[in-house]
Amino acid sequence: MKNITILTGAGISADSGLATFRDNDGLWNNHKVEDVATYDGFKSNKKLVYDFYNNLRSEAKNYKPNEAHVALSRLESEYKDGKVTIITQNVDDFHRLAGSKNVIHMHGELNKARCEYCLNVFDVDGDFDESTKCEKCGKDHVLRPHIVWFGEMPLYMALIDEVLNNTDLFVAIGTSGVVYPAAGFIARIKQIGKAKAVELNLKKSETNGLFDKYLEGKAKTTVPAFVDKVLEGKDLF
Ligand code: APR
């Protein structure tokens, strides 16, 4: 076994206390998805959308990475047989805070703003809105949350395809398998035919049948145990 690719979803951050999207206490409960997670929603009520993400950003500061994020960071630093890549659908920065370096944020990042005029992407710590100026071009009325909304193309898709092509072990953690293209990565892995695949989840995802193995439980328990097994070179299947 050589390269390991890990796809993470909201379930890995659930153990840090952040709500997932589709479980009962989901993030959308108080808002319509089309209002806060589409470009049309942003166009029609910018204040609502800025407020929504400003609140999330400030809320996320109350939480920290859990044992699962820490274990994945340990995997990246201690695994010597190949490359470990995390592709995350999460917009929190728990993987980075836990020490992971090779992380692809395919759905964007909560702690970043993007300028629609010059396309500059930059870190933001506190709130921002229409009146905030782009750090690079200095214009106002041009910033949006650096979040991939429904109907928008996820980021780094060419890089992700290259990563999937070179994967020997694919691991999906805490993702419901309903939002594409991420939900389609397991089918792509099967098409390529090179990698074995494992799902770690609290309950089986929509794509569970395509995985070679399933480990059920909370990420904070299953992920460290799984990482130990990989690092000890134990048989996983
Ligand atoms: N440990 C492991 N898995 C968990 C845990 C936990 N403690 N708690 C919940 N889960 C699992 C659920 O069983 C479910 O499969 O996490 C998954 C959460 O699913 P979603 O809320 O649909 O999150 P995700 O798959 O990341 O959503 C994908 O949808 O709206 C978008 O852009 C958003 O990135 C997000 C994308």
Side-chain angles (χ1 to χ4, degrees), residues 115-157:
C115 174
E116 294 200 279
Y117 182 76
C118 75
L119 303 181
N120 179 40
V121 175
F122 58 98
D123 291 342
V124 283
D125 190 30
D127 292 356
F128 72 93
D129 59 23
E130 276 190 308
S131 65
T132 313
K133 290 185 166 65
C134 169
E135 227 178 53
K136 191 171 171 198
C137 69
K139 289 190 188 301
D140 53 23
H141 289 79
V142 287
L143 297 185
R144 60 167 278 177
H146 185 49
I147 301 282
V148 174
W149 288 322
F150 285 95
E152 295 184 322
M153 182 75 94
L155 307 170
Y156 309 111
M157 287 310 294

Side-chain angles (χ1 to χ4, degrees), residues 19-37 45 48-49 51-52 55-56 59:
T20 61
F21 292 90
R22 289 172 189 80
D23 296 317
N24 290 336
D25 55 351
L27 279 177
W28 310 123
N29 271 359
N30 299 321
H31 291 280
K32 287 191 189 147
V33 173
E34 53 272 32
D35 289 345
V36 294
N45 191 345
L48 176 85
V49 175
D51 286 350
F52 178 79
N55 283 336
L56 269 188
E59 170 86 352

Side-chain angles (χ1 to χ4, degrees), residues 14-231:
D15 286 336
S16 293
L18 281 192
T20 61
F21 292 90
R22 289 172 189 80
D23 296 317
N24 290 336
D25 55 351
L27 279 177
W28 310 123
N29 271 359
N30 299 321
H31 291 280
K32 287 191 189 147
V33 173
E34 53 272 32
D35 289 345
V36 294
T38 64
Y39 196 72
D40 283 348
F42 180 57
K43 279 290 204 201
S44 61
N45 191 345
K46 289 195 172 179
K47 181 169 171 15
L48 176 85
V49 175
Y50 284 124
D51 286 350
F52 178 79
Y53 290 98
N54 285 338
N55 283 336
L56 269 188
R57 193 175 308 113
S58 110
E59 170 86 352
K61 290 202 171 101
N62 298 322
Y63 302 97
K64 54 183 194 339
N66 63 59
E67 294 88 332
H69 299 99
V70 173
L72 293 182
S73 163
R74 189 160 60 85
L75 179 65
E76 183 182 343
S77 60
E78 293 180 16
Y79 182 70
K80 301 293 175 225
D81 297 341
K83 200 168 173 185
V84 175
T85 306
I86 296 175
I87 303 171
T88 188
Q89 299 165 86
N90 300 341
V91 297
D92 62 58
D93 63 353
F94 292 161
H95 286 303
R96 187 187 60 81
L97 289 173
S100 289
K101 298 202 164 42
N102 193 18
V103 183
I104 300 172
H105 273 274
M106 66 177 291
H107 287 172
E109 291 173 73
L110 193 52
N111 291 338
K112 291 195 164 139
R114 182 162 85 236
C115 174
E116 294 200 279
Y117 182 76
C118 75
L119 303 181
N120 179 40
V121 175
F122 58 98
D123 291 342
V124 283
D125 190 30
D127 292 356
F128 72 93
D129 59 23
E130 276 190 308
S131 65
T132 313
K133 290 185 166 65
C134 169
E135 227 178 53
K136 191 171 171 198
C137 69
K139 289 190 188 301
D140 53 23
H141 289 79
V142 287
L143 297 185
R144 60 167 278 177
H146 185 49
I147 301 282
V148 174
W149 288 322
F150 285 95
E152 295 184 322
M153 182 75 94
L155 307 170
Y156 309 111
M157 287 310 294
L159 172 62
I160 289 172
D161 204 41
E162 194 185 313
V163 169
L164 295 180
N165 269 310
N166 290 302
T167 294
D168 301 283
L169 175 66
F170 179 74
V171 187
I173 303 171
T175 178
S176 54
V178 297
V179 174
Y180 284 80
F185 291 172
I186 178 62
R188 179 81 188 111
I189 285 286
K190 293 281 114 177
Q191 269 174 353
I192 297 164
K194 188 163 110 139
K196 288 267 204 173
V198 188
E199 171 174 22
L200 280 66
N201 207 321
L202 205 51
K203 58 174 196 268
K204 290 180 179 174
S205 70
E206 290 297 312
T207 53
N208 177 267
L210 293 173
F211 287 83
D212 302 295
K213 191 173 175 81
Y214 173 57
L215 299 169
E216 188 161 295
K218 290 191 167 188
K220 68 176 179 186
T221 310
T222 56
V223 177
F226 180 76
V227 165
D228 283 344
K229 258 186 135 176
V230 174
L231 289 175

